[in-house]
């Protein structure tokens, strides 16, 4: 697999030189400074491409072109936004960036309640604490009828957790959950968040799925014409938050999308941690079933808990069999090579490394995207890959 590294642009404290020192060959980035719905211009793409190439790297994947709320709701200025999305896709392709990751999560993107959870090694990890999340939703945010979305056992655990946390703890949870995470499209105040939820009050999962299919049906033919690949990222975590529908969470969700839009450009980002945080997802089986549509991979791991909580684990530990997953992806690459495809290589990046060593306490580090933790993860994944290739030789 092609080793890549996520970079958030010139303001990222982890620089392109750091990425190269970690051994990455490619960069995963986006024009994060143009996340206001405007179409990206050729000159914007070229400027970012030059910065990456000047560092001796290549821009392999765009993560992400944002998908607006209007597109997800199929309301308001959705037509303008779809046209702008297609124009951005075309500008990227003209600039040589042919793989585009995107997601279809409404209102909240990837979500964690704790950004500095202590690990046994004394590093710090990202964590999603289900009782704390539900306590915030029901007893702090007080979302109307929120109790209906949870089981009696989950509500009981949330009440118990609510009793142990003070206002400062919930302020931190609120900041983590709605205040903005790296590469999110929006940051919210509490009042603004409640307002953002309102248009989705009557939106059913079937409605959101139909809107996703309609969107992909419009952009996939453009991608095919450009020789580009669309790689939808799974919901993170892969279950409903705040009563919002999520429709890219399971193998069945992917089957429904690919059956509805069979274009070869319509593919996925195989995010092992996102999918693996749901116990009924067999990530290795999904990699094999959808192998021909895996256009990009995020390799990270999670340790699940019985109540729905999870913590980001070491890359080679946790509940996802990372060695078997890497083998499945290598097998898919071999299949593509045997077909004579020039684009056989699957770009992958180490995702959500632990905060380690002198990155702990360092100002400006993006949660999950410190240097040392990802360097460690990439080295481990590189070792697994080379060992499997050696065994197969």
């Amino acid at each position: 697999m092609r080793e890549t590294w996520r970079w958030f642009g010139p303001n990222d404290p982890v620089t392109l030189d750091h990425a190269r020192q970690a051994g990455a060959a490619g960069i995963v980035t986006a024009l994060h400074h143009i996340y206001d719905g405007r179409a990206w211009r050729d000159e914007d793409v070229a400027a970012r491409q030059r910065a990456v190439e000047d560092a001796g790297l290549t821009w392999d994947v765009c993560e992400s072109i944002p998908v607006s709320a209007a597109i997800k709701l199929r309301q308001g200025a959705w037509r303008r936004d779809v046209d702008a999305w297609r124009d951005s896709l075309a500008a990227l392709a003209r600039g040589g960036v042919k793989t585009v990751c995107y997601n279809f999560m409404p209102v909240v993107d990837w979500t964690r309640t704790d950004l500095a959870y202590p690990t046994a090694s004394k590093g710090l990890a990202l964590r999603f604490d289900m009782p704390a999340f539900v306590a915030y939703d029901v007893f702090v945010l007080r979302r109307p009828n929120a109790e209906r979305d949870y089981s009696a056992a989950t509500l009981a655990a949330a009440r118990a957790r609510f009793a142990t946390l003070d206002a400062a703890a919930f302020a931190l949870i609120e900041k983590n959950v709605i205040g903005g995470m790296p590469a999110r499209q929006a940051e919210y105040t509490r009042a603004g968040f409640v307002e953002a939820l309102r248009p989705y009050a009557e939106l059913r999962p079937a409605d959101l799925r139909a809107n996703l299919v309609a969107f992909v049906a419009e952009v996939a033919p453009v991608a095919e014409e450009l020789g580009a690949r669309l790689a939808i990222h799974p919901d993170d975590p892969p279950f409903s938050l705040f009563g919002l529908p999520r429709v890219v969470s399971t193998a069945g969700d992917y089957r429904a999308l690919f059956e509805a839009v069979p274009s070869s450009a319509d593919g996925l980002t195989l995010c092992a941690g996102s999918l693996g945080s749901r116990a009924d997802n067999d990530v290795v089986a999904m990699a094999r079933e959808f192998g021909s549509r895996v256009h990009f991979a995020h390799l990270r791991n999670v340790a699940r808990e019985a109540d729905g909580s999870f913590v980001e684990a070491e890359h080679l530990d946790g509940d996802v069999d990372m060695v078997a997953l890497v083998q499945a992806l290598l097998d898919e690459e071999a299949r593509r090579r045997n077909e004579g495809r020039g684009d056989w290589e699957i770009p992958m990046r180490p995702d959500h490394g632990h905060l380690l060593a002198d990155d702990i306490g360092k100002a400006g580090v993006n949660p999950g995207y410190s240097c040392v933790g990802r360097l460690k993860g990439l080295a481990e994944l590189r070792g697994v890959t080379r060992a499997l290739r050696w065994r197969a030789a």
Side-chain angles (χ1 to χ4, degrees):
M1 288 177 286
R2 184 166 178 79
E3 297 175 12
T4 67
W5 187 269
R6 190 163 194 183
W7 181 60
F8 291 102
N11 294 325
D12 192 333
V14 182
T15 67
L16 291 171
D17 285 344
H18 293 149
R20 192 171 181 188
Q21 290 161 19
I27 290 296
V28 177
T29 190
L31 303 184
H32 296 294
H33 59 295
I34 310 176
Y35 258 33
D36 56 6
R38 282 179 293 157
W40 297 348
R41 302 174 303 170
D42 288 358
E43 51 265 43
D44 300 321
V45 172
R48 178 57 53 86
Q49 187 72 275
R50 280 194 301 273
V52 171
E53 291 177 349
D54 286 349
L57 298 156
T58 57
W59 183 3
D60 291 352
V61 180
C62 173
E63 185 179 349
S64 303
I65 307 175
V67 179
S68 70
I71 292 173
K72 292 167 188 170
L73 289 163
R74 205 83 171 168
Q75 293 177 0
W78 67 269
R79 167 50 57 200
R80 178 203 66 193
D81 291 355
V82 170
D83 290 344
W85 206 96
R86 293 193 298 194
D87 288 345
S88 295
L89 176 65
L92 286 164
R94 286 192 294 268
V97 184
K98 297 292 186 74
T99 301
V100 176
C101 174
Y102 69 103
N103 76 73
F104 217 76
M105 291 178 266
V107 187
V108 285
D109 201 313
W110 68 289
T111 302
R112 303 291 184 272
T113 56
D114 191 340
L115 308 184
Y117 182 76
T119 69
S121 67
K122 298 186 178 180
L124 301 173
L126 303 176
R127 173 177 165 80
F128 181 86
D129 186 310
M130 181 65 83
F133 174 83
V134 176
Y136 171 75
D137 186 21
V138 175
F139 305 119
V140 179
L141 186 65
R142 296 182 180 177
R143 180 172 58 87
N145 301 314
E147 296 92 337
R148 298 177 184 175
D149 294 326
Y150 304 108
S151 68
T154 298
L155 286 170
R159 288 190 187 93
R161 185 61 54 82
F162 179 72
T164 69
L165 298 176
D166 60 14
F170 277 112
L172 181 58
I173 290 170
E174 181 169 75
K175 179 177 181 293
N176 295 341
V177 172
I178 72 171
M181 296 278 269
R184 272 195 179 176
Q185 291 172 232
E187 299 180 12
Y188 300 101
T189 62
R190 189 182 300 179
F193 183 69
V194 170
E195 189 58 34
L197 292 175
R198 201 179 311 280
Y200 294 88
E202 303 300 323
L203 193 74
R204 301 167 303 163
D207 300 324
L208 185 64
R209 180 172 287 106
N211 293 349
L212 169 61
V213 168
F215 170 70
V216 178
E218 292 203 60
V219 298
V222 177
E224 270 198 73
E225 190 174 314
L226 295 165
R229 295 168 290 274
L230 305 176
I232 191 166
H233 189 285
D235 303 323
D236 184 12
F239 44 77
S240 174
L241 300 178
F242 299 110
L244 295 163
R246 288 195 154 187
V247 295
V248 192
S249 295
T250 67
D253 290 337
Y254 278 117
R255 288 185 201 110
L257 175 60
F258 299 148
E259 287 170 9
V261 187
S263 164
S264 60
D266 181 17
L268 72 145
T269 296
L270 187 80
C271 181
S274 297
L275 295 168
S277 55
R278 180 168 171 148
D280 58 348
N281 279 338
D282 184 333
V283 182
V284 177
M286 292 172 77
R288 294 199 177 278
E289 178 178 354
F290 304 117
S292 64
R293 294 185 182 271
V294 175
H295 297 325
F296 183 32
H298 290 177
L299 298 185
R300 62 180 175 87
N301 221 323
V302 292
R304 297 186 300 267
E305 299 168 29
D307 64 2
S309 304
F310 59 88
V311 65
E312 307 262 7
E314 299 278 359
H315 283 78
L316 302 187
D317 293 329
D319 290 308
V320 176
D321 185 341
M322 192 60 69
V323 175
L325 179 59
V326 170
Q327 183 65 71
L329 295 174
L330 291 175
D331 289 345
E332 173 58 25
E333 285 187 329
R335 187 191 67 78
R336 296 178 188 185
R337 281 198 308 273
N338 291 337
E339 289 181 350
R341 285 177 50 175
D343 60 345
W344 58 268
E345 203 167 26
I346 298 171
M348 73 82 168
R349 65 175 179 84
D351 203 8
H352 296 188
H354 288 175
L355 200 62
L356 302 173
D358 64 353
D359 277 341
I360 297 175
K362 189 178 290 183
V365 175
N366 288 310
Y369 292 96
S370 60
C371 184
V372 178
R374 285 186 292 161
L375 184 152
K376 177 175 180 281
L378 182 58
E380 292 172 341
L381 293 165
R382 181 183 300 127
V384 168
T385 301
R386 293 195 180 181
L388 290 172
R389 284 179 171 159
W390 174 81
R391 188 174 69 178

